[in-house]
Amino acid sequence: MILKPEILKQQLDGKFIGHQLYYYEEIGSTNDEAFRLGLTGSPEGTALIANSQHAGKGRMLRVWHSPAGSNIYTSIILRPQITPASTPQISILAGVAVAEVLESYCPDRIKLKWPNDVLIDGKKVCGILSQVKTTASEVDFIVLGIGINVNISYSQFPKEICNLATSLAIETGREISRQELIISLYENLTKWYKQLLKYGFCRIKDKWLSISPMIGQTIQVTFQEEAVSGKAIGLGEDGSLILLAVGNKELKVSAGDATIVNR
Ligand code: BTN
């Protein structure tokens, strides 16, 4: 199904996210372009959508496979009045919002893997990459980048990820309207973002904990060449994963790739 930017623009007119919408048939990375727009003062809620990306960026300097015509690649500019240390809360929030929307397509099969991978039966369907611009002790803006595998088929995934990734179409056996999904995604992101600003991180944290199978499990987190492991016992106020390591030592991990290890 083709994305119709004119219809999207009409549907998002006056909405918090997407009132200003930039659509690209092809772009390097919507995150890079959103960052550039953020620097020029684009308002909160500005959203970018691309039909394909030739330099899609993933976490930890990875590439995000972004072929044309099948998936959602979007970046949103937010300007929350929170401290720079709290900005990981926004990525956690985004994971919760995406998971809640995808739940209606694949009931009881959606899980969150720290920090914010959205999985269907253990395979990744969505990745989130946020990039922050701070000035002194304040947040200037955050670019929230979201990639959702919507209609991509199994054979279109690069070999190295085909056993790890999936799409909504693969899991439901039908083609999904990207247009409808974008509208529900922006609405749900708005709902959780407003909750964060009004009530703080608590509700988001509780919701994350209810969707993630990680708490109570032994987790290994690798970051660059380093690995730490321990039992996951909670989520910090800064979005970090709290591990209980050997000797009952509490470790707060703020970046890396997490895996549940069976001991
Ligand atoms: C991850 O590694 O899990 C994060 C992937 C984030 C991909 C999205 S697609 C839209 C936006 N633009 C990018 O270049 N990356 C993010």
Side-chain angles (χ1 to χ4, degrees), residues 44-66:
E44 173 158 82
T46 298
L48 294 78
I49 296 173
N51 192 40
S52 71
Q53 301 183 116
H54 56 258
K57 291 166 34 167
R59 287 176 59 242
M60 325 256 289
L61 302 178
R62 294 189 186 114
V63 167
W64 187 256
H65 183 57
S66 312

Side-chain angles (χ1 to χ4, degrees), residues 188-230:
N188 212 40
L189 277 169
T190 303
K191 177 188 94 178
W192 284 104
Y193 183 63
K194 299 251 153 119
Q195 292 229 352
L196 176 74
L197 299 184
K198 197 162 173 192
Y199 305 109
F201 189 48
C202 206
R203 291 176 184 207
I204 292 150
K205 185 165 124 177
D206 287 349
K207 184 73 180 174
W208 190 93
L209 292 171
S210 76
I211 310 175
S212 177
M214 300 185 101
I215 302 303
Q217 305 287 334
T218 302
I219 306 291
Q220 183 175 65
V221 182
T222 50
F223 182 67
Q224 291 163 356
E225 302 297 289
E226 304 250 338
V228 290
S229 56

Side-chain angles (χ1 to χ4, degrees), residues 9 52 55 60 130 136 139 160 177 186 192 211 237-238 250:
K9 278 182 188 166
S52 71
M60 325 256 289
S130 46
V139 172
E160 56 286 8
S177 158
Y186 287 179
W192 284 104
I211 310 175
E237 281 304 295
D238 54 357
E250 265 192 31

Side-chain angles (χ1 to χ4, degrees), residues 64-75:
W64 187 256
H65 183 57
S66 312
S70 49
N71 298 330
I72 291 176
Y73 316 111
T74 184
S75 299

Side-chain angles (χ1 to χ4, degrees), residues 22-43:
Y22 293 87
Y23 175 81
Y24 310 88
E25 262 314 307
E26 189 184 348
I27 197 169
S29 154
T30 53
N31 262 37
D32 285 349
E33 184 56 16
F35 206 89
R36 201 190 59 73
L37 288 169
L39 291 173
T40 62
S42 283

Side-chain angles (χ1 to χ4, degrees), residues 1-4 51 69-70 151 175-180:
M1 258 177 265
I2 303 168
L3 270 178
K4 299 201 175 94
N51 192 40
S70 49
N151 291 315
E175 195 179 2
I176 305 292
S177 158
R178 284 183 289 167
Q179 202 100 359
E180 279 173 23

